[in-house]
Structures are given as structure tokens and as C-alpha cells.
Amino acid sequence: MSLTAKMSSLEHVKQSLERAGQDHVLRFWPELSEEDRDVFLQELVKLDLKGLKDHCTRAAKAAASTPRILDVDMDPVPPEFMGSVRKSDRKSLTEWEDEGLLHISRNRVGALLLAGGQGTRLGVQYPKGMYKVGLPSGKTLYQIQAERLHKIRELADGKHGSKCTVPWYIMTSEFTLAPTEKFFEENNYFGLEPSDIIMFEQRMIPAVTFDGKVILQGKGKIAMAPDGNGGLYQALVDNNILEDMKKRGVEYLHVYCVDNILVKMADPVFIGFCVTKGADCGAKVVEKSHPAEPVGVVCRVQGVPQVVEYSEIRLEMAELRGPGRELVYSAGNICNHFFTRTFLQDVSEKFQGQLKQHVAIKKVPFVDTCGSEVKPSKPNGIKMEKFVFDAFPFSRNFVVFEVIREDEFSPLKNAEGASTDTPTSARNSLFALHGRWATSVGAMLLDHHGNNIPPTASSESAGDCPPAQCEISPLVSYFGEGLEQLLKGKKLVTPFILDKKMAEKLQAQQHS
Ligand code: UTP
């Protein structure tokens, strides 16, 4: 940029900041080096300066307001729009699975990972998908997901004689894009075709103080945060992702969070259920563990599908029970969604402006008026976020699919030591599930003294007695299929890893 161009950009930025009541942003400008000024100016020019005033006022106002209570207008999703793994017969589940596998085999299904979050609670300096929860195989969350994609393609191909692909769209942010790209490259894309992995970046927005001022993280740096996983809809447009999907013939998307170690990538049963019902949008849910569990509830408000957060519902409503003593509002959201491509397109192109904004109060490092860097000990900043589920109200045919928590949901949110959703709980959930798969086909899990270890119903009941370390590679089995011929009657000393090599060995033993 020429000097004159730079001066005029700076003047424009200055005026815009003044108009927005944010002139403190340039407080340290005179102290910055020429190089730092260039970087800062580029950052400021990229900001939505016109919308800045609105953004700051809205954030401060939203943070000061008390949470809305929505439960007066709430209804559960009617049974005709619900499916359930627990309550459905084997025939229906098989039909949905077949339907899903058919669409996968015809290249109509894509997986879309939301991986732009900062993972502040887990507290590592790299993307959460690169985290190893301590499995005997040493696999990361990204690797587990990649291998499940491999396997589901293999199952679809095996059934339909196809050679299909399931493109993997990965939404990242400024924090996660570069390390994620590098990690995939270093790991040879986990054997997937690099052209089938499409990474794109969501937008960032400034964090704001309680009195509506943009937070300076450094003398020449604004504290920016990704705009929430609902930033997906803008990011799809910004990065021409919808065109890419169309070009590839992708009609159905499975959208999910990075941190669920049990996620069933492009789950054919879920996809088949949603497609059979003619849905444009669907949510997988698990039964809430107890009325006060802090998860959002998928329901209808004034007849419109949405997720009501736990802060928006009174306890007496959350505790409401039906005739069979079951919770009326039990559909816990697990950020595991089905969208048709055309629905994503509609939301991205027509309803963007109507998406809600949510307030997250966080500890945001900042520079004080003297220019010293401060790491706050208590929350000092507001990050405004959109949520992916805020598209639900725009659905014309919304369905819900209830799955079994122990089989499908165990998120990694917190660092070790927290009471829930830690690396240990994630690891134990996976061991417990794989242990159940093994014992259900007649294997016996043994400790190193040769004593039998009974299967664990869930990671929660593990408590003092963690489940046996049994890890089955997704390359061998996606949802427990194909294990009988390998494991029936086997005594497995734990830790036990059933990877491809071990599977081949066991198969050879069968034939000898
Ligand atoms: P969370 O709300 O759990 O946030 O994200 P997080 O960033 O992983 O963790 P904390 O709250 O900072 O500890 C749920 C999912 O949404 C994605 C995350 O990567 C995760 O898969 N996400 C979140 C985005 O893709 N973008 C965002 O702006 C925020």
C-alpha cells in the first residue's frame, strides 16, 4: 500500500471508530512500530466498521439483560416427528440404515465438522480435534473421525458395489485453520483423499467490555473471537462451500461438533430416518440424564422448532413428567444435526439476518490504560455468538431422532479434574462401548491377572471401577458390526486393541 493510501485508510478507520464511540482502539498508535501499525491497520480495515457501534451496544445490552424464560410457550416435539433408537423396531432401524447407506453410496452425503471453537475450558493451545484422550492407540479425535468416515464409505461400497466418497467439510477459525491444515498434512490426511477434505474459515468478531467498548488484547491488537458455531451459515457463503456441495452432488449433510468422541460420522441410520421423513432439518438428541442437566432441550416454542437453553426454562418446567413418569422435555441437544443442502442454502442466503445472537461472558486478556497486559481472574468481556441450531425455526419439516447416550454422546469439554466431560470420561465412554460390543458377541475381557472384567453399562457407572481398556479401531468396526467372526469365544487380555492388523491375525486363526 502506498503512503497516501495508508494515510487515507487510517483517516477512514479513525473517523469510523470515533463515530462508533471506539476511538480508544487507537490509544497506543503513537507507540507502535511501523510494522505493527501496518498489521493493525490491515486488521482494522477488515473489521465491519459500519456495524461496530451496533455490535458493541447490542453486546452490552444483551449482557445486562436477564435471560428470557421461554417455557410458557413451549411444547415437546410431537411424536409423529420423532424417531428413536430405543423405541423403534429392528425392521425400521434396518430400513433407515439401508436408506442412509444408499445415499452415501451415491455420493449424496457429506460430513460437516464445526471446529472453529477455542476450546478454552479444555485449555490446550491447539485445536481440540488434535487432542489425544489417552487411548492405548494414541489416536486423536480427528483421527477417530477420519477412520469412521473411511469405514462408513466401505460399508456403503460393500452393500452397493460403489466406490463412493463422503466429502468432509471442516469449519475452522483464525485459531484453528493453520494448525488443523498442518496436522492433516503431517498425518497424510489419515489416508483420505486431500481433495475430499475441505477446510474453510468462519468470521471473527470483537470481544466487548460490559460498557460496550471493544477490548484491546495488545497495543496493536483487538481481542477477536470466532462468531459461534452458527457462524457456519455466513462462512458457507464467504467460502463458496454451497457451490462445492452442489458440484459434488451432495444433498444431505451431517453436521457435528469436534468434541464428541462417540460421534457416528455420516450416521446412515440418522440420515436414512431424516430422508425417509422428508425432513429438511433434523436433530439427534439424547434423553436428559436428570431435569437440571445443563443441556439445551429440542422442542417447539409457539409451534416453531428450536433449542431452549437450560437458562431459559424454569426448574418446575424442566421437572415436568408425563403419564409414564418420563420427562416431558427430555430431548437433550447434542449438536448433531441433519441438513439438506437446499435448507443450508436458504438459511445462509435468506435468513442470515434473522439468526439470534447469544451472549457468552468470558475472561478476555487485555491491555490496561497504561499498556500493561492483564490476564483477568474473573470474566470481563462479552463474546457474541450465533449457534448452529438457531436455523431450526426456519425448517419446514423438522424431525428429531433420539439415540442412546452411552452409544453416541460423550463430549470432551473440560480439562482433567472437572466433574464431567473430561479426557477420562471420554476415554472411558469409548472403552465401555467397545467392551459392550466385544462381550455382546461372546468375547470375555480379562485383566492382566486373567480375571474376568464384566462389561460396563456406561462411563458414568464406571466411577471407582473404570471399564476395561478395550479399543476397537473404526477401521475394523463402525457400530459394532463384523465382530462376531473375530471375537466370539475369545479371551481378551486388556488393554486390548483391535486394529486392522489384529483383525487380520484373528481372521487367519479362524481359517487355520
Ligand atoms: P463449544 O461451545 O463447546 O466451544 O463448541 P469450544 O470452543 O469447543 O470450547 P469452550 O467453550 O471455549 O471451552 C461446540 C462446538 O462448536 C464449535 C467447537 O469447535 C465445537 O465443535 N465452534 C464453537 C465453532 O465451530 N465455532 C465457534 O465460534 C464456536
Side-chain angles (χ1 to χ4, degrees):
M1 212 193 270
S2 74
L3 190 60
T4 351
K6 253 194 241 175
M7 292 308 286
S8 108
S9 303
L10 179 60
E11 203 41 48
H12 168 72
V13 165
K14 247 186 196 163
Q15 285 174 10
S16 308
L17 288 172
E18 270 165 29
R19 271 199 300 273
Q22 305 292 332
D23 38 346
H24 67 286
V25 167
L26 292 174
R27 177 183 287 144
F28 299 106
W29 184 264
E31 296 177 31
L32 299 180
S33 67
E34 205 50 46
E35 205 180 311
D36 289 345
R37 283 182 181 181
D38 284 351
V39 176
F40 196 23
L41 187 57
Q42 272 175 31
E43 186 190 338
L44 292 168
V45 168
K46 275 199 267 162
L47 272 187
D48 172 16
L49 288 165
K50 269 200 196 132
L52 191 61
K53 187 171 180 188
D54 252 14
H55 169 70
C56 294
T57 324
R58 205 177 326 125
K61 212 166 132 194
S65 63
T66 39
R68 297 164 314 156
I69 295 295
L70 291 175
D71 58 19
V72 274
D73 295 323
M74 249 169 87
D75 286 306
V77 172
E80 61 272 28
F81 299 109
M82 284 203 68
S84 159
V85 167
R86 247 177 337 123
K87 295 177 196 153
S88 305
D89 52 35
R90 183 82 321 262
K91 184 168 166 281
S92 307
L93 291 170
T94 308
E95 278 171 9
W96 294 329
E97 184 183 316
D98 288 349
E99 177 80 15
L101 285 174
L102 175 71
H103 293 295
I104 292 171
S105 76
R106 301 269 161 92
N107 297 332
R108 290 184 196 133
V109 176
L112 200 166
L113 164 60
L114 304 167
Q118 291 172 283
T120 43
R121 285 168 287 173
L122 184 62
V124 290
Q125 297 307 312
Y126 51 83
K128 223 190 246 185
M130 287 164 55
Y131 194 84
K132 294 178 182 171
V133 298
L135 294 171
S137 66
K139 285 177 191 170
T140 58
L141 294 174
Y142 280 147
Q143 182 170 356
I144 295 170
Q145 292 169 25
E147 293 185 353
R148 290 199 183 125
L149 269 187
H150 265 293
K151 189 66 185 175
I152 202 63
R153 285 169 46 192
E154 195 182 295
L155 291 177
D157 286 344
K159 198 166 172 65
H160 294 282
S162 52
K163 191 116 196 51
C164 69
T165 55
V166 178
W168 192 7
Y169 296 95
I170 304 182
M171 183 174 82
T172 58
S173 64
E174 192 179 293
F175 297 108
T176 57
L177 178 61
T180 302
E181 276 178 339
K182 188 158 169 265
F183 187 69
F184 272 69
E185 202 183 316
E186 282 168 359
N187 286 282
N188 201 17
Y189 300 89
F190 304 105
L192 294 165
E193 213 34 72
S195 59
D196 289 336
I197 302 177
I198 305 100
M199 294 186 197
F200 59 102
E201 209 174 322
Q202 68 179 108
R203 289 191 184 180
M204 306 278 286
I205 46 172
V208 172
T209 58
F210 297 123
D211 52 358
K213 298 285 178 201
V214 165
I215 299 179
L216 274 182
Q217 183 188 309
K219 290 183 176 177
K221 176 129 193 72
I222 285 180
M224 300 288 280
D227 56 353
N229 59 26
L232 170 68
Y233 306 105
Q234 185 63 56
L236 290 175
V237 175
D238 288 348
N239 299 284
N240 299 321
I241 299 299
L242 294 158
E243 283 78 13
D244 183 275
M245 290 171 179
K246 193 169 180 189
K247 215 167 60 203
R248 291 171 189 260
V250 172
E251 295 298 337
Y252 309 118
L253 278 307
H254 172 226
V255 176
Y256 69 99
C257 287
V258 71
D259 47 29
N260 179 11
I261 196 167
L262 302 182
V263 66
K264 284 186 179 166
M265 306 282 298
D267 175 10
V269 183
F270 180 45
I271 289 165
F273 168 77
C274 294
V275 175
T276 306
K277 293 281 176 197
D280 54 3
C281 174
K284 253 192 197 182
V285 299
V286 294
E287 198 178 0
K288 273 178 75 171
S289 58
H290 56 279
E293 188 188 7
V295 292
V297 170
V298 181
C299 61
R300 305 208 302 191
V301 177
Q302 292 180 335
V304 175
Q306 68 182 67
V307 173
V308 169
E309 294 189 74
Y310 54 91
S311 54
E312 297 172 328
I313 177 170
R314 285 165 303 155
L315 187 60
E316 67 237 51
M317 200 67 165
E319 283 174 341
L320 212 61
R321 290 188 185 267
R325 301 293 304 141
E326 74 288 357
L327 288 176
V328 172
Y329 296 105
S330 68
N333 179 38
I334 57 169
C335 193
N336 210 310
H337 310 314
F338 165 91
F339 296 115
T340 60
R341 179 178 53 76
T342 45
F343 177 71
L344 280 179
Q345 183 141 9
D346 273 358
V347 175
S348 302
E349 290 172 0
K350 296 187 202 147
F351 304 122
Q352 243 341 300
Q354 295 176 49
L355 290 177
K356 265 194 239 163
Q357 298 260 0
H358 302 258
V359 174
I361 308 287
K362 304 254 175 168
K363 291 183 209 161
V364 184
F366 65 100
V367 284
D368 63 16
T369 46
C370 309
S372 312
E373 295 189 2
V374 182
K375 275 207 162 140
S377 55
K378 52 182 202 295
N380 61 320
I382 310 159
K383 291 183 179 173
M384 295 299 276
E385 293 185 324
K386 289 180 189 150
F387 292 157
V388 71
F389 59 67
D390 282 325
F392 292 177
F394 305 106
S395 163
R396 288 199 201 99
N397 189 5
F398 178 77
V399 295
V400 171
F401 193 64
E402 189 195 77
V403 297
I404 297 166
R405 181 188 292 252
E406 287 73 25
D407 291 354
E408 301 214 21
F409 184 56
S410 181
L412 172 64
K413 296 287 182 194
N414 303 311
E416 217 60 271
S419 56
T420 55
D421 304 340
T422 60
T424 295
S425 67
R427 189 172 65 242
N428 283 344
S429 303
L430 189 117
F431 288 151
L433 174 64
H434 290 184
R436 289 196 300 278
W437 287 355
T439 49
S440 72
V441 296
M444 203 188 259
L445 299 172
L446 306 178
D447 65 16
H448 58 276
H449 300 297
N451 299 321
N452 181 21
I453 315 174
T456 317
S458 75
S459 62
E460 276 177 19
S461 62
D464 301 334
C465 174
Q469 295 197 20
C470 172
E471 182 186 353
I472 298 177
S473 166
L475 296 174
V476 176
S477 186
Y478 176 92
F479 33 32
E481 81 290 346
L483 296 177
E484 188 164 357
Q485 46 159 344
L486 300 173
L487 300 182
K488 189 174 179 188
K490 292 273 179 325
K491 291 185 172 172
L492 312 173
V493 179
T494 58
F496 171 73
I497 305 182
L498 179 57
D499 54 14
K500 275 208 108 158
K501 226 168 159 184
M502 173 63 93
E504 279 160 19
K505 204 166 125 191
L506 290 168
Q507 206 143 28
Q509 281 173 12
Q510 297 286 6
H511 295 305
S512 62

